[in-house]
Amino acid sequence: MNVRITVRHTEVSDEVRARTEALVSKLQKFDPRVSHAEVVFDEEKRLKSVEGILHVDRDGPVVATGEAADVLSAVDQMIERLAKILRRRRSQVTHHRGATRLGDLSETEMTEVE
């Protein structure tokens, strides 16, 4: 998975970038259709914010933010929120294909057919 990191109005160390990239890559286990991700670091009035955008194939993007006084806390908060959204989406998947005809028949109907 490609992870693009953007930094606005602040400085982010290489260690934080590497940790963020590793954590975002692990989110693919919740939905293997995640093709690439964007992470935006920003700072306003001593408050660090991190926004994560996951692009999912054949579905809309997943967006979550994290805000804290510390960059790593904001990253952890964002990762938790993204994981929660992906887990919720996966549990809501519905199969629009109907059950097979044999699956619809009860056992008594199956004995009558045979």
Side-chain angles (χ1 to χ4, degrees):
M1 170 177 25
N2 294 333
V3 179
R4 183 173 47 177
I5 297 177
T6 307
V7 180
R8 290 189 221 154
H9 309 140
T10 187
E11 298 274 332
V12 178
S13 68
D14 291 336
E15 178 184 314
V16 173
R17 288 176 189 251
R19 181 165 186 244
T20 303
E21 190 171 336
L23 289 173
V24 170
S25 296
K26 288 182 181 181
L27 290 174
Q28 200 167 16
K29 69 181 177 184
F30 294 112
D31 193 349
R33 298 179 302 151
V34 175
S35 60
H36 64 281
E38 299 175 41
V39 179
V40 180
F41 290 92
D42 198 5
E43 180 179 4
E44 290 184 22
K45 297 183 181 178
R46 298 185 199 142
L47 184 66
K48 313 289 195 272
S49 67
V50 181
E51 180 181 28
I53 305 167
L54 299 178
H55 297 277
V56 182
D57 294 337
R58 299 183 313 260
D59 208 352
V62 178
V63 180
T65 59
E67 293 182 346
D70 181 21
V71 175
L72 292 177
S73 299
V75 169
D76 291 339
Q77 193 177 62
M78 179 213 40
I79 293 294
E80 288 175 12
R81 289 178 179 171
L82 285 172
K84 182 179 178 180
I85 293 169
L86 289 175
R87 278 194 302 265
R88 188 178 337 128
R89 271 188 167 191
R90 191 168 194 174
S91 68
Q92 292 176 350
V93 170
T94 57
H95 299 287
H96 296 288
R97 175 180 272 177
T100 62
R101 179 68 182 133
L102 289 176
D104 292 340
L105 297 175
S106 65
E107 289 183 23
T108 58
E109 292 174 342
M110 286 181 66
T111 55
E112 292 174 7
V113 172
E114 294 172 357

